[in-house]
């Protein structure tokens, strides 16, 4: 069972566990090598950059050597990958002269961040000098770095679709798939009172402000995307979700228990949303402001919740820590100290 807010018995999600691996106490592994090899080739092949000197394109991925896997151990997903990549790039100057060169990335692994990748770009020995080599070493290498970062993100989101993943308390829950809802819905919302929405009594309720702060080992841009991309929200909540990542867009997650609307979006810097839990008084929303600050090697996320019902202060605070902060770190590997 998983609850929103530790110790809050009102809303409980019951999920079916694998009978042969109760509570995921066994080490289970899924091989991602073949999927990764195909994904890396598709991401690199056709990558191109252009400037006033001409255009360069990756025309062949000649070596994808290594392995990748996902391990599920006691309620935690651990990603392992190690790759040695070689590719060929072809350049064409504005005058129509063609050139060939090589690309090598020997250290794409879970032990290195994308900023630590060694990306070697060279011009073939029999080729004459050309300014296009500088284009590939600068813009080309940076674009390669970006797509390899995309591979890591897809490994942690796209590849995990359909896996049996741990919930926050270690009980197995299936990742959402494209099957009809009747087949994929293996969880059931139970309320100790009633599943009907609360009645609007017209009475003004006392509210409070909740402020939380946390750091994540990723960039502000990447963390910003986690809250707005539906597939990423589904990955860290382990449930189907609806997320319209635009101003005025609606969201609904955690089996429909949390929903609201995006009010203001400042790319990579701030998200403001109307946010509520399903058992709050009818039509009552808190205003949640997420502020992303770049600390060079990590991102500080400040969460300010205004208008939280007094009676929900502790549950809201613990819910954000557990179902947002901890879940995002566990899913995407952004682990850092919680303030």
């Amino acid at each position: 069972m998983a609850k929103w807010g530790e110790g809050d018995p009102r809303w409980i999600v019951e999920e079916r566990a694998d009978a042969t691996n109760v509570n995921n106490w066994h080490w289970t592994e899924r091989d991602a090598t073949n999927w990764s090899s195909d994904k890396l080739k598709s991401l690199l092949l056709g990558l191109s950059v252009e400037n006033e000197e001409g255009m360069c394109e990756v025309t062949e991925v000649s070596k994808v050597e290594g392995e990748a896997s996902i391990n599920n151990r006691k309620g935690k997903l651990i990603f392992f990958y190690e790759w040695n990549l070689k590719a060929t790039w072809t350049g064409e100057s504005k005058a129509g002269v063609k050139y060939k060169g090589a690309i090598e990335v020997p250290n794409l692994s879970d032990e290195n961040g994308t900023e630590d990748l060694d990306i070697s770009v060279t011009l073939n020995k029999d080729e004459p000098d050309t300014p296009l080599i500088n284009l590939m070493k600068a813009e080309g290498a940076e674009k390669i770095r970006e797509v390899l970062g995309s591979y890591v993100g897809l490994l942690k989101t796209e590849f995990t679709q359909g896996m049996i993943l741990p919930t926050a308390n270690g009980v197995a829950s299936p990742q959402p798939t494209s099957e009809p809802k009747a087949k994929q819905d293996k969880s059931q919302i139970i309320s100790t009172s009633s599943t009907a929405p609360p009645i609007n009594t017209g009475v003004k309720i006392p509210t409070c402000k909740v402020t939380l702060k946390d750091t994540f080992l990723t960039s502000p841009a990447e963390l910003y995307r986690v809250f707005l991309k539906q597939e990423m929200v589904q990955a860290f909540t382990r449930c189907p979700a609806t997320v319209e990542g635009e101003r005025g867009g609606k969201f609904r997650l955690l089996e429909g228990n949390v929903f609201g609307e995006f009010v203001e979006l400042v790319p990579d810097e701030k998200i403001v949303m109307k946010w509520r839990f399903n058992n709050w008084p009818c039509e009552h929303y808190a205003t949640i402001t997420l502020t992303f600050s770049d600390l060079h090697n990590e991102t500080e996320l400040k969460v300010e919740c205004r208008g939280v019902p007094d009676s929900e202060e502790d549950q809201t605070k613990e819910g954000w820590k557990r179902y947002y902060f901890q879940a995002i770190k566990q899913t995407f590997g952004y682990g850092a100290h919680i303030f």
Side-chain angles (χ1 to χ4, degrees):
M1 295 183 181
K3 305 174 186 177
W4 172 267
E6 184 67 20
D8 182 356
R10 289 168 297 175
W11 293 93
I12 301 173
V13 181
E14 290 190 343
E15 289 138 336
R16 298 177 186 174
D18 182 349
T20 63
N21 188 18
V22 177
N23 292 332
N24 286 311
W25 288 112
H26 304 294
W27 183 289
T28 58
E29 180 175 304
R30 183 175 181 184
D31 185 15
T33 301
N34 291 336
W35 178 91
S36 293
S37 179
D38 291 342
K39 183 62 66 175
L40 286 165
K41 288 177 182 178
S42 68
L43 288 170
L44 289 168
L45 199 60
L47 181 150
S48 63
V49 288
E50 186 174 2
N51 65 7
E52 66 279 359
E53 299 291 343
M55 189 269 287
C56 300
E57 181 180 357
V58 177
T59 52
E60 181 186 3
V61 180
S62 56
K63 181 179 181 180
V64 181
E65 184 178 87
E67 59 183 353
S69 63
I70 301 176
N71 291 302
N72 181 347
R73 174 65 171 169
K74 293 185 178 180
K76 291 184 179 180
L77 287 179
I78 305 171
F79 296 84
F80 295 102
Y81 53 93
E82 186 172 6
W83 295 100
N84 183 353
L85 310 172
K86 290 185 179 180
T88 299
W89 66 271
T90 302
E92 183 173 352
S93 70
K94 292 294 185 180
V97 180
K98 294 185 178 181
Y99 304 86
K100 272 194 174 184
I103 302 164
E104 184 171 2
V105 184
N107 65 332
L108 175 61
S109 79
D110 55 275
E111 296 181 353
N112 299 315
T114 54
E115 69 278 1
D116 299 320
L117 292 177
D118 296 328
I119 302 176
S120 171
V121 178
T122 57
L123 187 65
N124 289 354
K125 291 182 179 180
D126 56 346
E127 297 283 353
D129 288 339
T130 171
L132 292 179
I133 184 65
N134 298 323
L135 172 63
M136 274 303 294
K137 284 186 174 181
E139 295 179 31
E142 187 56 34
K143 206 161 185 180
I144 291 168
R145 194 181 306 277
E146 289 178 6
V147 300
L148 294 181
S150 297
Y151 155 72
V152 175
L154 291 169
L155 176 65
K156 296 178 179 180
T157 54
E158 181 180 297
F159 184 74
T160 57
Q161 295 293 317
M163 286 186 67
I164 299 298
L165 295 175
T167 63
N169 67 347
V171 179
S173 173
Q175 188 75 1
T177 68
S178 58
E179 294 181 5
K181 182 174 176 58
K183 291 185 178 181
Q184 65 169 273
D185 187 12
K186 295 185 177 181
S187 57
Q188 185 178 20
I189 303 292
I190 299 175
S191 170
T192 56
S193 53
S194 170
T195 57
I199 298 173
N200 187 354
T201 62
V203 178
K204 185 175 181 180
I205 62 171
T207 63
C208 62
K209 182 175 79 170
V210 172
T211 302
L212 299 166
K213 196 162 57 171
D214 200 348
T215 53
F216 297 78
L217 297 178
T218 188
S219 66
E222 190 65 25
L223 188 58
Y224 178 87
R225 289 179 65 247
V226 168
F227 289 91
L228 297 181
K229 297 294 183 181
Q230 180 168 300
E231 63 272 18
M232 299 185 83
V233 173
Q234 289 184 153
F236 78 77
T237 60
R238 315 284 195 256
C239 306
T242 300
V243 181
E244 301 168 354
E246 59 186 11
R247 184 177 179 180
K250 310 292 185 181
F251 59 86
R252 182 176 291 271
L253 52 143
L254 291 170
E255 300 290 358
N257 282 336
V258 171
F259 54 93
E261 177 182 333
F262 295 111
V263 176
E264 181 183 357
L265 299 175
V266 181
D268 309 339
E269 295 180 11
K270 184 169 72 171
I271 297 173
V272 181
M273 51 188 166
K274 290 168 54 181
W275 184 100
R276 61 175 273 116
F277 192 58
N278 195 43
N279 67 335
W280 286 8
C282 188
E283 298 302 319
H284 180 83
Y285 288 82
T287 299
I288 309 289
T289 302
L290 310 181
T291 306
F292 305 83
S293 300
D294 190 352
L295 302 182
H296 303 297
N297 293 326
E298 57 189 15
T299 298
E300 180 184 87
L301 173 61
K302 181 180 179 181
V303 179
E304 183 181 88
C305 313
R306 293 181 175 270
V308 175
D310 278 351
S311 60
E312 300 292 325
E313 179 179 2
D314 291 340
Q315 287 79 10
T316 301
K317 185 181 296 185
E318 291 306 311
W320 268 87
K321 287 181 180 179
R322 183 172 180 181
Y323 291 101
Y324 282 94
F325 294 175
Q326 294 176 14
I328 288 171
K329 289 179 181 182
Q330 175 181 303
T331 302
F332 303 113
Y334 299 158
H337 176 69
I338 296 179
F339 289 89

